Amino acid sequence: MGFSAPRFAARPSVDDGARHPVIVVGGGLVGLTAALDLAQRGIAVVVLDEDDTVSEGSRAICFAKRTLEIFDRLGLGRRMREKGVQWNTGRVFRGAREVWHFDLLPEPGHANPAFVNLQQYYAEAWLVEACLATGLVDLRWKHRVTLVEPGAEGVRLAVETPFGVVGLVADWLLACDGARSFVRESLALPFTGQVFRDRFLIADVVMRADFPPERWFWFDPPFHPGQSVLLHRQPDDVWRIDFQLGWDADPESERQPERVRARVRTMLDATVGPEAAFELEWVSVYTFRCRRLERFRHGRIFFVGDSAHQVSPFGARGGNGGVQDADNLGWKLALVLQGAAPEALLDSYDAERIPAADENILHSTRATDFITPKTAAARAYRDAALALAGEHAFARGFVNSGRLSRPCVLAGSPLSTDGGASGLAPGTPVPDAPVLRDGVATWLLAELGRDFTVLAFGDPAAAPEGAIVVSATPAPGVLWDHEGLAARRFGAEAGHVVLIRPDQHVAAHFDRFDAAALAEARRRAMAA
Amino acid sequence: MSGADRMGLDDPDAVFAALVAAHAGLDEASSRRLDAMLVLLLAHAVGDTGRVMAAIAEARRLI
Ligand SMILES: Cc1cc2nc3c(=O)[nH]c(=O)nc-3n(C[C@H](O)[C@H](O)[C@H](O)COP(=O)(O)OP(=O)(O)OC[C@H]3O[C@@H](n4cnc5c(N)ncnc54)[C@H](O)[C@@H]3O)c2cc1C
């Protein structure tokens, strides 16, 4: 069964002039994730989207392990795993020959695989359902924001709808309106970085083919000489093929179905054979960019996802990075709105997510520079690395067809406390591990919940009150670390106490329990 | 890096001649690629990121 895009009903807004605690502009992947996270924390959210459906075309297809863990907390992880295509192997070809392959499979003992491939439209459709199920997300389709007036007391919006223009006021505004963000433009904020002088044809192709569920990347294949090609499998027999075209290609003529069909045909003839039949589902031509805003928080406005930063897709860091932005902001905004933390907590969004965006931009830029060399020297080094890689394992490390999204370590975060313990450092996302609770198999991450959590390793009797105890031996109510993986991945010994933030990052790692130090770390993690 | 005061190779003339000879008959692009391969192979042989980075900086300084 293929996907059929839902059309959501647009209804008139009858609250002209109303004030809302949180308004999200843009019901795309990131806006919907932010809305769902806030709603699950008890915050009512209004989402305005200019369209009335989900993403056109597959766009973000590679959902990384950390994103799946976030979606697990939001209640959608299992659905994504079950529908998505799980893959761990990437193959790199030069010409017709495989030069090497890599295995992303982390060691066993994680609830989630390295990646699943799933079209962005599935993720968005399920996020919409989940948002509605909370009863706290007010989704308003065909609502285009056309005016943004920031103020100290709130942000005023004018919203164009099929039923006329309405005015709304937001205490806090989340600009999740994508790479061409209208909110960003109306604030006249510079969005700086670089454009890669190249064009890529992105096609979703429906076919039955026996390629394994792997990522295949060709440099200079015989069926598309001088350029690169990327092949990915998605659910529903949909295949994503990216053809590098070069800067001189004409985007208009390249997107003509006849022309795309001819390219795909040539590729299939050379790979699966002339009998393979296919249909085109979606075609687009892109020029990639890496750029970001200087700051992501502007008073009462937060830029989240592509509105804040844009990356080229090699490495799958756009959607994954944006979901991590939403994950970072949700709990902070909820605590501030509930009066449990000061507004200063919101400044840490910049402190934590700007370095994360820079890391994503760095990796995406390096991959794109490798794939699209800018100078004769860059081309020579790239071709040299490829020529060596077949026979010299060391040279494979230079071959960069995308360094796939990894969770960001929030090093140097103002919310972190150095607890003196060696082992997992503050700012690190909590590693998963299989554990048993009263004989029932579960995962460490699944046990953490939505608030701050204290994990205590070792003897339950010595643990702080309210802590989740991770024990090397079974005992009632504890998480029995029966394979020893939790302790190993934390680098924790008996007596260690770890304070974990609501977004599952380590706030402090102590080598022993000290009530005052723990309370202080918790205050700091809330910027109090 | 003070390369001038310490000569690590016992037959620099032979190495120099071999480097130049390796380019015989190559067009500009192949010649560049050969040099790039040599650099990558030698960087690996050095096996020390700091020393490789220092060599890059030194070459650039003298250009
Ligand atoms: C070819 C391609 C391949 C990619 N592959 C991957 C991948 O494999 N993995 C990955 O993680 N990422 C990938 N990405 C990136 C990913 O698609 C984006 O990072 C992601 O969609 C960003 O989500 P977003 O919600 O910030 O923006 P969008 O998904 O663009 O959503 C923006 C929303 O805002 C709405 N909107 C815009 N303006 C207004 C307005 N004025 N008023 C109201 N609503 C408005 C739009 O209707 C839209 O719904 C890829 C992107 C491309 C183009």
Side-chain angles (χ1 to χ4, degrees):
Chain A
M1 257 307 282
F3 182 82
S4 79
R7 287 269 160 221
F8 305 116
R11 296 194 190 79
S13 283
V14 292
D15 58 346
D16 189 27
R19 174 180 273 276
H20 295 278
V22 182
I23 296 181
V24 174
V25 184
L29 180 65
V30 174
L32 292 168
T33 302
L36 180 58
D37 186 39
L38 283 164
Q40 291 189 350
R41 297 180 187 284
I43 306 294
V45 183
V46 174
V47 179
L48 308 173
D49 194 280
E50 64 180 0
D51 204 0
D52 63 351
T53 186
V54 291
S55 173
E56 195 209 339
S58 56
R59 291 171 76 215
I61 56 165
C62 298
F63 288 87
K65 179 169 177 288
R66 178 68 203 135
T67 303
L68 295 170
E69 290 166 355
I70 293 168
F71 280 128
D72 261 336
R73 202 190 61 231
L74 297 173
L76 292 171
R78 174 200 284 226
R79 211 167 168 186
M80 298 187 75
R81 275 192 299 281
E82 285 177 359
K83 178 76 189 178
V85 175
Q86 301 193 8
W87 64 276
N88 293 300
T89 302
R91 288 184 200 281
V92 178
F93 300 85
R94 178 181 183 236
R97 280 188 39 219
E98 179 179 328
V99 279
W100 68 297
H101 62 268
F102 51 85
D103 192 354
L104 294 168
L105 186 72
E107 71 266 305
H110 294 264
N112 282 293
F115 280 94
V116 306
N117 282 2
L118 182 73
Q119 297 88 329
Q120 184 166 334
Y121 45 71
Y122 272 112
E124 290 184 8
W126 298 342
L127 282 163
V128 167
E129 284 175 27
C131 278
L132 293 175
T134 64
L136 282 173
V137 183
D138 178 355
L139 292 165
R140 303 191 188 184
W141 305 104
K142 292 270 177 212
H143 278 54
R144 168 185 296 166
V145 172
T146 53
L147 185 84
V148 182
E149 267 176 26
E153 300 301 314
V155 186
R156 292 188 170 278
L157 301 177
V159 189
E160 245 172 54
T161 80
F163 319 95
V165 177
V166 286
L168 295 173
V169 184
D171 290 340
W172 300 99
L173 189 80
L174 271 52
C176 304
D177 50 346
R180 281 192 282 244
S181 172
F182 172 79
V183 179
R184 190 184 65 225
E185 268 161 36
S186 28
L187 269 60
L189 298 173
F191 197 41
T192 49
Q194 62 170 317
V195 179
F196 298 93
R197 290 167 62 84
D198 203 342
R199 297 187 204 280
F200 288 81
L201 171 72
I202 315 281
D204 278 348
V205 170
V206 188
M207 64 175 176
R208 294 202 185 280
D210 285 332
F211 290 114
E214 297 177 342
R215 177 187 196 266
W216 287 19
F217 195 102
W218 286 267
F219 289 97
D220 191 22
F223 53 84
H224 192 52
Q227 306 284 7
S228 68
V229 175
L230 173 62
L231 175 75
H232 256 297
R233 182 179 193 153
Q234 308 173 52
D236 304 335
D237 291 318
V238 179
W239 298 78
R240 164 83 150 264
I241 312 178
D242 298 9
F243 292 96
Q244 183 181 22
L245 299 175
W247 184 236
D248 296 333
D250 170 36
E252 256 330 295
S253 62
E254 288 297 346
R255 90 177 63 147
Q256 296 312 311
E258 278 326 300
R259 189 150 178 152
V260 180
R261 260 188 223 112
R263 288 204 187 283
V264 175
R265 183 75 270 159
T266 311
M267 171 182 178
L268 293 181
D269 286 352
T271 48
V272 255
E275 64 291 345
F278 69 91
E279 274 168 62
L280 288 184
E281 196 174 76
W282 172 66
V283 172
S284 194
V285 176
Y286 286 92
T287 292
F288 297 134
R289 292 177 167 80
C290 280
R291 49 185 178 168
R292 74 160 164 87
L293 279 172
E294 206 176 319
R295 283 179 295 123
F296 300 166
R297 179 184 177 189
H298 289 263
R300 297 186 160 271
I301 302 178
F302 293 90
F303 290 88
V304 192
D306 275 13
S307 68
H309 44 70
Q310 200 182 359
V311 292
S312 72
F314 304 106
R317 288 165 182 271
N320 287 303
V323 168
Q324 287 173 57
D325 287 345
D327 183 51
N328 187 281
L329 184 58
W331 65 275
K332 296 174 181 174
L333 191 53
L335 285 177
V336 170
L337 279 162
Q338 286 153 351
E343 273 186 38
L345 178 59
L346 301 173
D347 288 329
S348 67
Y349 175 66
D350 265 355
E352 296 184 338
R353 293 310 297 171
I354 288 175
D358 283 344
E359 186 177 312
N360 287 328
I361 287 173
L362 176 73
H363 286 295
S364 299
T365 301
R366 286 177 173 171
T368 313
D369 282 342
F370 192 89
I371 293 161
T372 304
K374 289 200 191 84
T375 61
R379 179 170 292 275
Y381 274 104
R382 184 195 77 170
D383 292 345
L386 286 167
L388 291 170
E391 287 175 46
H392 297 271
F394 84 85
R396 295 167 192 167
F398 292 119
V399 175
N400 189 347
S401 68
R403 301 283 181 234
L404 290 153
S405 174
R406 314 246 323 127
C408 179
V409 175
L410 309 170
S413 163
L415 306 185
S416 290
T417 297
D418 179 3
S422 62
L424 207 63
T428 314
V430 168
D432 209 358
V435 288
L436 289 167
R437 188 177 13 82
D438 299 320
V440 180
T442 175
W443 296 97
L444 180 65
L445 285 177
E447 296 294 316
L448 293 184
R450 283 197 188 104
D451 301 317
F452 279 94
T453 308
V454 177
L455 273 193
F457 285 83
D459 180 7
E465 209 185 307
I468 294 179
V469 176
V470 179
S471 165
T473 50
V478 308
L479 299 180
W480 175 22
D481 186 17
H482 58 295
E483 294 182 36
L485 286 175
R488 190 187 318 151
R489 288 175 186 165
F490 273 82
E493 291 166 29
H496 279 207
V497 170
V498 185
L499 177 64
I500 297 170
R501 309 172 4 159
D503 58 9
Q504 302 180 338
H505 286 254
V506 174
H509 186 168
F510 297 99
D511 51 9
R512 63 195 171 81
F513 170 47
D514 171 338
L518 185 59
E520 180 54 34
R522 199 181 171 117
R523 264 195 301 280
R524 176 190 284 265
M526 299 210 288
Chain B
M1 188 157 145
S2 56
D5 37 286
R6 188 167 52 87
M7 182 57 84
L9 298 168
D10 55 15
D11 193 351
D13 288 349
V15 171
F16 192 92
L19 281 171
V20 173
H23 289 266
L26 297 182
D27 62 20
E28 187 66 31
S30 310
S31 197
R32 267 206 123 111
R33 202 162 63 244
L34 177 89
D35 275 340
M37 275 199 257
L38 276 170
V39 168
L40 297 181
L41 283 162
L42 293 172
H44 174 64
V46 167
D48 176 336
T49 303
R51 287 177 63 198
V52 173
M53 295 296 196
I56 295 170
E58 181 66 0
R60 181 70 212 206
R61 184 181 74 81
L62 292 170
I63 264 294

